Structure formats: structure tokens, C-alpha cells
Amino acid sequence: MPDFAEFFTTATGHLGGPPPYQERIAGTTFEDIPDTLILPTGSGRTETILSLWLWRIYSKEPGIPRRLVYCLPSGALTEHTAIKVKKWLWNLKLNRKVDIRFLAGGSEGYMSNINLGRECIIVGTQEVLLSGALNHMYGQRPGIWPIASALLNNDSMWVMDEARTMGAGLGTSLQLDAFRRACGTFGPSRSVWISAVKGPLGTKDNPEKNRRVLSIEDPAGDGARIRRIDLPTRDGRYTDTDAKKLLDLRGGGSMAVILNSVDRAQRLYSAVKGVQGQMRCVLVHPRFRADDRARLSREIHGINEDTNVVVISTQALESGTDLSVQTLVTELAPWPAMVNRIGRCRGADSSAYWIDIDGPYRPHNPVYDEMGGSRKVLEEIEGRAVPASTLPVSPGTDDIHGAISLQEVKKLYDTTQDIGGDPVDVSRFVGDDNPEALVFWSREGRRSRWNELCGMELGELRRFVSGHRGMCTCWDSKTMKWAEMGDDDAYPGMIARIEPSAGGYSQEMGLYTGYRGPVGEVFPQARQDRRSGRDVTLREHTQDVVDEADWILSGLGVGAEYSNAVRTAAQWHDVGKMHRIFQEFLGPNVEGTSDEIWAKSGRKEYDKDAKDRRDYERHGFRHEVASAMAFTAVHDGEEHDLAAYLVMSHHGIVRVVLRGPADVPGDMIAGVVHGEALSDRGYSVHEGVTVPAGIILDTSISGKGERRPWSARTSSLLDGHGPFRLSYLESILRKADWAASAKEDLAPDGKR
């Protein structure tokens, strides 16, 4: 059995070994891990990843979830945590065994290419991770949401860092933990909440009485001396005079100034640079692109009390970083945030100053409007040196908001409305009280990459769009094209494209709509010309998908009932391609004989120039809908509903509800005409599975006839299997389909 102390030292390089509380956690069984950890800022919270999860993977403890989901508060620098974790994995020689993803934007491939059977650490902020768990992940297209939900809810351990600053997201995290246990998941699931502030954590469905708590004292001894500072400016519009007064508080060593908004931090940074241009000054906030956030993470890494630097920041420094400073100045904030900020101030003779500003902390969320408790506590400890772990508990910190219901979680499982172009807003559940969109700068309309995205508040985006007509576009899911963006088109988590000449971003300031110069593009890696692949028959593709599904299932321990449903769905998932509409569409791109039934062609429509691309004869034809109708024509009992659902949902487009657009005939659904035959010939699609000739496609399954409506079938599946298991089974089939297609796209000589 390996030794935890040696493991910890090898991972971190800390020769002093692990803190006692981490050894205590590492020595417990997974079932006995505390549910709540009360840890002062600076006590090594990020390192709890080691004792809570990574140590157990390293020592091969049985029954450990494959994924660790490390959830940071909104605005935190995920890159800083990811850099540390990557170093640990490398030092432990686990970098080839354990994957890592950090979600600071939205790349469809970045979440969807996680291996279901491989250990993985996922680091992200609460609005991204919780929206993903609710099947509406910010920054990703709706077709990918079920895979993100599957990965985050099944076989996963969630760790909420600084839970008390999560707002409504705290209630949602507690409820989701209860619902995973109630509805069931594939693989074990656990949640742990970390906070610097003492107090109960519980909701109706996840009561506090069932929770194990571990609390430790601040190891740093004496804390910072707390003082109030009065500035002429009470509205956050900092001037050169304010900057000079703040800098005069710095007696030496490092100094951090933490403000409540990005625009205030940018304004003060400019003032400080104007007053003390030669001083090393770092601006840190969440609205930078990924490469710039990584640069900032490296720049603040290693800053301690003796470093000659001034860091001006927002809530980005409240958690997830190792920063310690000699002098701290912070605007008044809710008490959990104040405790974290004061905890950054360490060392002998350190001082923490607070600015009593007018106005609420976050004006869009009444939960945070009450800062009277913070003010009262600070006035009571004025002039005293108080360790962070002994700071008083402020009134009001026991309140839990945003308790989503199980019925609402199930409702969010349906993405029909979002795919139809009318997105559902989940910001009220994820603690995103000032919702953001994601923007990128590009001269061409194309899918964004995660490393070029930057957050922008919705109100700010609407004003920017209004002032830059014709220079901002968004994806129109109805026309499937980039379209000019209007003021009312902004919604939480969306992705908008901005012309670089419109300005709005600089490497030094980050997102700054006052910047008028051109914005440098983060060019995606050049795509190599795709080599001509090969034509693939329906029989061959089906065999490939079944083989891939069997391989995935073999490593997951999924029960026979579910494995059989996935395998059956793999056999039938593409039989809809036998339809005349699909075969005629594929025909011009196929070099093989016309007597065969084809699943894929070597030449792809999307590789052609836009002007040369063709569409189906019937616009909106969905082969997976034809596949599911054919399957239910042969297997229509309730015992086959799960396989039918997996067939229908294997592209993430048609899932819970089956209905046609209002502008097409009532007897046509997804390009399929009621009563028509799938094909006039039979076809052996897989060993032992022959699709009969003349199968009649019945669109009444949508709910317009006597057959059991599709929505009733899926509602029964949701109640019987739960949303988390269903999304997981969806993901298995989709990943099998992707893996098979990737192999089939190999050119005849075996090279891509």
C-alpha cells in the first residue's frame, strides 16, 4: 500500500508533507469522506483534490468515481487550478492515465471527447458546470448537451470550492446531489462542499442532518489587522487621487486590491498605471480569452507576501489560487466573499482594508443586495488582528437559495425548444445572477474554438450590438446560418461573433468595450485538406458501431438490460438511411455500385464549397426519425421503448418530443411522409437483423393517431430510468457512432 505523505510530496513538491486534515481525509474510506469541509482560505483547498479523489485513484481503492468535477465560483481562474493539477499528474506519472479538462468557454469537442471509461478531472466555474449538469451547458450547442450532462452526473464526484459564494448555484448543487441518489446513476456519485464560512448546508431534498462536517483552524496563526478606509469616491469610479491613497497603504511587499466588478478593476488599474507607471501591476479578472487567462495565472503564481507587486482583481482571486499578500484592500462584499478575500492577507504585520461603497454587490440579484451583515461584523472587529478561521459568522449566511425541483430537472432534459431556436434560460438555477454570453472575434462566420471565447454580460452585449450594427452575428438554428444579431437576441450561454474591426478587447485590459482598436484574432489551427475517405455500406457501418458499442460497454459495467438496449439501438440506428431521400442525396458522392445501400460516402457535402453543397429533396429530413419509425413498426411494445429512444436520439436533435414544423404538411414529420414505405427491398443490416421490405413509416407516433405518443413513451422512460441514466445511454451510442465514423473516414491507404 503506497504512503499518502510520500504521494503528497511527490505530487506537490512540498517537502513538509500534507497538512494533518488531508492525512485524516486520505485515511478514511470513500463512503466516510466528510460531506462539508470548513477550510480557511490559504489552507490548501485545491490540494484536497489529492486526498479526496486522486489518492484513491492512485492507490486503486475500489468504488471510486471515474470523474472528479472541481466546481469553482463564477469568475474564478480555472486555468490556475488546471496548471497545478497537470503538474501533479506529471509528477505522479499519471498524466497518461488521468485526463484533465478545464471549462472556461465552450468547445463542443472539448467536453464531448472525454472517454467514458477513463479517469478525468474536470475543472470549471459553477455556471458552466451546473448548466451542463442541467442539460443546458453554456457555450455548447444543444446537440452536445446530453453528453455533457451524462459525464457530469454519472460516475462523478463533485467538489464545490467556496460553496457559500455560489448563490443560487449552492441550492442547485445540493438538490442535484439528492436527485442523483434518488433517480440513480451509472457508477458511484458523491458531492463535497468546501467553505471558509461555518454554517449549515441543506435543502428540503438534501437536509443538513445527514451531512458529515470537518472543520479546521487557520494554520497561519495571527491574521490580518482589519481597518476601514474612506475614499472620496463612494460609487466605484476610482480616480487618480483614489489610486494614490490606496498605494500609500502599501508598506512594502505585495498588495492586492479586490473590487466587485470588472469595469471598476479596469478603471483603477488605469489610474494606478498613470500614477505609478514603473510599478509592477497586474490586472486579473475573468473576462480574458483563454491564452491571456493562462498568462495571468502564470504571472500571479508564486506571488507571496514579499513580492514587489500590486494585483488589481475581482472575485477571480477569492478561490482557486495560491495568492498570499502583505496588504489587502477590498470593497465591501457579502460575508462569505469577505472571508475569502481577507484570507488572502497573510504574514506578520499584514493589514486588510475595506472600502464601504454605496450600492449593492450584484444589483441583479436580491440575494446579494444585503451587505449590512458584513458591514456590522467589520465594524465590530475594527483594528483587530483576526485569523480567517475565527472570523465571526455573519447573519444571513445560512440562507440557501435556488432549490430546483426534480420536476424542473426532468423538464430541462427536453432540448426541443432550444434546438428550435427558443432557448431556455437556466441562469436562475446556476447562480449566474448577472448572466453572460460568450463572444469571439473573427472575420468569418464559423464555429468558435474554446480558446478564443470571452464572457460578456448580456446587458453589455446588447449595448455593444446596438452601437455596432452589422458587426455582430449569431447562429440561427432555424436557417442554420450565421445571422445579424439584434439587441433582443442575447441570452445566457450563447455564442456571438464580433468583427475584429469593432474592437472591444485588448490583451492588457481583457474585454473592454471602450477599446476602439482592432482585435487580434485567435486563429484556429489550420485544418488540413481532408483526404477522400471511402464509401461505407450500411451493413459495414452498422457492424462498426455495434463493435464500438460492445467495446465501450465492456469497460463500464452496465447491466444486461441496458447493454442489450444499446446494442439493439446500434443495430437499428441508421436503417432510416435506406429511405429513398437519403440514398438519392448520397448517390452523387458514392463511387460504388448503385445496387448497394450506403451509409456514408467518401466525399462529404461539408467539404465542398458552400455554393456547391446540396440539400435533401425534402428539407429537414432526419434519417434517425425514419430509423425509429421503422424500429417501432417491428418492435412496438413498452419493453422496446428504451432502444427506440436511443435510435431516435443518436444525433441529439430529436429526443423527447417528436413534432414537425408548422409550415409543413401535417402528415410529414422530419421529412418522413405518413404511410410511405422505408424501402421496397429487404436488407440484412447486421447478423440476425434483417429489415423487411416495405416497412410502413407511421408518423402518428408523434401523437396524432391511435399509437402511443412519443412524448408518453419518453416520459415513462424518464420516470423509470431517470434523466441521468438516459443521457448516459445516449452518450454510449453516440460515442460508438462517432468512433466508428472516425475509423471509416480513413483513406484506403490507412491515413487520414
Side-chain angles (χ1 to χ4, degrees):
M1 179 70 177
D3 177 69
F4 177 72
E6 181 181 350
F7 164 86
F8 184 92
T9 300
T10 301
T12 64
H14 298 165
L15 298 180
Y21 81 89
Q22 294 229 16
E23 287 195 284
R24 177 178 171 184
I25 293 173
T28 64
T29 64
F30 184 71
E31 291 75 14
D32 293 330
I33 288 175
D35 302 288
T36 304
L37 301 175
I38 307 300
L39 306 177
T41 304
S43 59
R45 289 189 199 165
T46 308
E47 280 75 6
T48 57
I49 291 175
L50 295 169
S51 57
L52 287 170
W53 185 81
L54 192 56
W55 160 248
R56 302 171 196 279
I57 297 297
Y58 182 81
S59 59
K60 300 180 181 180
E61 181 179 334
I64 307 303
R66 284 184 171 91
R67 284 171 292 281
L68 175 75
V69 183
Y70 196 73
C71 182
L72 293 164
S74 295
L77 297 178
T78 59
E79 289 83 358
H80 191 86
T81 300
I83 289 170
K84 292 183 67 173
V85 175
K86 286 180 179 178
K87 179 183 176 183
W88 298 341
L89 295 176
W90 183 268
N91 292 343
L92 293 166
K93 295 181 172 56
L94 291 175
N95 51 300
R96 293 183 180 274
K97 175 180 172 61
V98 180
D99 203 355
I100 181 168
R101 294 287 189 275
F102 62 97
L103 303 177
S107 163
E108 287 101 10
Y110 207 54
M111 191 71 186
S112 59
N113 66 2
I114 294 176
N115 188 326
L116 286 171
R118 184 179 179 184
E119 285 80 9
C120 182
I121 298 174
I122 302 171
V123 181
T125 50
Q126 66 182 74
E127 69 278 6
V128 177
L129 294 175
L130 289 176
S131 64
L134 294 174
N135 203 42
H136 280 71
M137 192 171 208
Y138 282 7
Q140 297 200 17
R141 55 189 173 93
I144 298 296
W145 290 347
I147 296 177
S149 177
L151 289 163
L152 292 169
N153 286 307
N154 294 274
D155 213 356
S156 61
M157 179 180 188
W158 280 67
V159 177
M160 268 61 63
D161 191 357
E162 199 36 65
R164 287 289 180 185
T165 64
M166 291 176 66
L170 174 56
T172 297
S173 71
L174 287 159
Q175 291 291 86
L176 282 172
D177 177 65
F179 299 153
R180 291 184 195 110
R181 293 195 300 271
C183 297
T185 60
F186 287 111
S189 67
R190 276 292 306 271
S191 296
V192 174
W193 291 265
I194 301 176
S195 178
V197 179
K198 299 176 181 178
L201 295 174
T203 60
K204 177 182 177 181
D205 296 293
N206 200 347
E208 166 68 22
K209 65 180 181 180
N210 297 331
R211 207 170 313 286
R212 296 179 291 268
V213 181
L214 173 63
S215 179
I216 71 163
E217 297 298 319
D218 191 342
D222 294 338
R225 193 168 300 279
I226 312 295
R227 297 185 178 93
R228 171 174 169 165
I229 176 174
D230 292 314
L231 295 177
T233 301
R234 288 290 298 272
D235 59 1
R237 297 182 179 276
Y238 295 104
T239 64
D240 290 352
T241 302
D242 297 321
K244 290 179 181 178
K245 187 168 185 177
L246 291 177
L247 291 174
D248 287 343
L249 299 175
R250 176 174 169 264
S254 57
M255 178 182 192
V257 183
I258 304 180
L259 308 180
N260 293 342
S261 68
V262 172
D263 64 313
R264 291 178 183 176
Q266 290 171 328
R267 191 177 295 117
L268 181 60
Y269 173 80
S270 297
V272 169
K273 294 287 284 186
V275 172
Q276 293 285 351
Q278 301 304 313
M279 178 180 295
R280 181 188 172 196
C281 186
V282 182
L283 174 65
V284 180
H285 61 76
R287 292 187 197 150
F288 282 93
R289 296 187 295 205
D291 290 345
D292 292 327
R293 288 197 302 267
R295 170 181 54 82
L296 291 172
S297 295
R298 291 190 296 270
E299 196 163 352
I300 66 174
H301 180 72
I303 291 179
N304 57 37
E305 302 85 28
D306 300 322
T307 308
N308 186 23
V309 65
V310 174
V311 179
I312 298 174
S313 180
T314 60
Q315 69 271 29
L317 292 186
E318 289 179 8
S319 60
T321 65
D322 298 323
L323 185 72
S324 296
V325 296
Q326 181 70 22
T327 305
L328 173 83
V329 179
T330 174
E331 290 182 334
L332 185 66
W335 189 243
M338 290 298 294
V339 171
N340 279 288
R341 295 179 183 188
I342 293 171
R344 292 287 168 211
C345 194
R346 313 178 77 82
D349 301 322
S350 59
S351 298
Y353 300 89
W354 60 282
I355 305 169
D356 192 359
I357 61 171
D358 291 330
Y361 175 59
R362 295 179 182 173
H364 302 282
N365 189 341
V367 173
Y368 286 107
D369 279 356
E370 295 298 329
M371 294 196 291
S374 294
R375 184 181 292 107
K376 180 179 179 181
V377 172
L378 289 169
E379 288 173 345
E380 290 175 352
I381 60 176
E382 175 71 19
R384 291 165 49 192
V386 184
S389 63
T390 61
L391 288 169
V393 176
S394 173
T397 58
D398 291 349
D399 296 335
I400 304 293
H401 301 269
I404 189 172
S405 69
L406 180 57
Q407 190 60 35
E408 287 170 313
V409 170
K410 290 182 177 180
K411 186 176 180 180
L412 290 172
Y413 188 77
D414 181 12
T415 54
T416 306
Q417 182 176 335
D418 307 270
I419 290 173
D422 186 14
V424 175
D425 183 3
V426 297
S427 60
R428 67 188 186 280
F429 298 126
V430 303
D432 192 8
D433 49 273
N434 204 5
E436 292 185 351
L438 296 166
V439 299
F440 71 105
W441 287 261
S442 175
R443 286 170 291 182
E444 59 176 323
R446 56 170 174 78
R447 185 173 293 175
S448 62
R449 272 63 173 184
W450 68 273
N451 62 334
E452 59 185 336
L453 292 168
C454 181
M456 181 184 284
E457 290 183 6
L458 293 187
E460 195 171 17
L461 177 57
R462 293 184 181 113
R463 291 189 294 272
F464 191 85
V465 169
S466 179
H468 298 80
R469 293 296 182 193
M471 304 185 81
C472 304
T473 60
C474 59
W475 182 253
D476 187 333
S477 59
K478 295 178 181 178
T479 63
M480 300 298 286
K481 296 179 180 177
W482 288 91
E484 182 177 346
M485 190 172 175
D487 300 1
D488 298 331
D489 292 330
Y491 61 89
M494 71 169 294
I495 295 178
R497 183 190 69 87
I498 301 174
E499 287 285 342
S501 58
Y505 185 92
S506 73
Q507 280 192 310
E508 182 181 17
M509 302 290 283
L511 181 78
Y512 179 50
T513 55
Y515 178 71
R516 306 300 182 189
V519 178
E521 294 185 59
V522 179
F523 288 102
Q525 191 172 30
R527 178 181 177 181
Q528 296 179 347
D529 291 337
R530 190 189 185 106
R531 297 177 60 121
S532 295
R534 59 188 179 89
D535 304 331
V536 182
T537 67
L538 179 56
R539 185 180 297 106
E540 181 183 2
H541 176 64
T542 301
Q543 182 64 60
D544 291 342
V545 174
V546 171
D547 289 346
E548 292 293 337
D550 286 343
W551 185 85
I552 293 172
L553 288 165
S554 68
L556 297 180
V558 174
E561 173 193 359
Y562 294 114
S563 296
N564 291 338
V566 172
R567 199 168 197 273
T568 300
Q571 293 170 331
W572 283 82
H573 81 288
D574 268 358
V575 300
K577 291 182 176 180
M578 295 172 63
H579 197 288
R580 174 187 66 83
I581 295 295
F582 187 88
Q583 289 300 305
E584 290 181 357
F585 171 75
L586 209 61
N589 293 333
V590 172
E591 296 179 358
T593 172
S594 60
D595 292 337
E596 185 54 83
I597 293 180
W598 301 99
K600 297 178 181 294
S601 60
R603 191 182 183 204
K604 315 295 184 184
E605 282 295 322
Y606 53 73
D607 282 334
K608 300 178 182 179
D609 293 335
K611 61 182 177 60
D612 297 326
R613 293 174 190 163
R614 298 175 300 112
D615 196 358
Y616 292 110
E617 176 188 315
R618 295 177 191 165
H619 180 70
F621 176 79
R622 302 296 313 183
H623 72 267
E624 67 270 29
V625 174
S627 298
M629 289 181 180
F631 178 78
T632 56
V634 179
H635 307 284
D636 200 27
E638 290 185 8
E639 68 274 16
H640 299 295
D641 282 351
L642 179 55
Y645 172 76
L646 298 178
V647 171
M648 183 79 82
S649 64
H650 83 268
H651 280 289
I653 303 299
V654 184
R655 301 174 62 248
V656 177
V657 176
L658 177 61
R659 61 169 177 250
D663 57 350
V664 300
D667 61 350
M668 182 187 293
I669 300 290
V672 178
V673 176
H674 177 69
E676 70 176 339
L678 173 65
S679 176
D680 59 2
R681 58 181 287 192
Y683 188 78
S684 176
V685 72
H686 190 254
E687 182 180 356
V689 180
T690 298
V691 180
I695 287 182
I696 300 301
L697 302 180
D698 185 354
T699 63
S700 68
I701 195 175
S702 65
K704 297 181 180 179
E706 296 181 357
R707 298 183 67 191
R708 284 185 301 129
W710 186 253
S711 58
R713 300 174 190 232
T714 56
S715 177
S716 178
L717 290 173
L718 272 172
D719 291 339
H721 303 285
F724 312 127
R725 283 177 172 159
L726 273 186
S727 62
Y728 193 79
L729 296 172
E730 273 186 73
S731 299
I732 293 173
L733 181 58
R734 293 183 68 184
K735 283 179 172 291
D737 194 15
W738 291 345
S741 296
K743 291 180 178 179
E744 293 160 356
D745 278 342
L746 294 174
D749 61 0
K751 298 180 180 178
R752 287 194 182 280

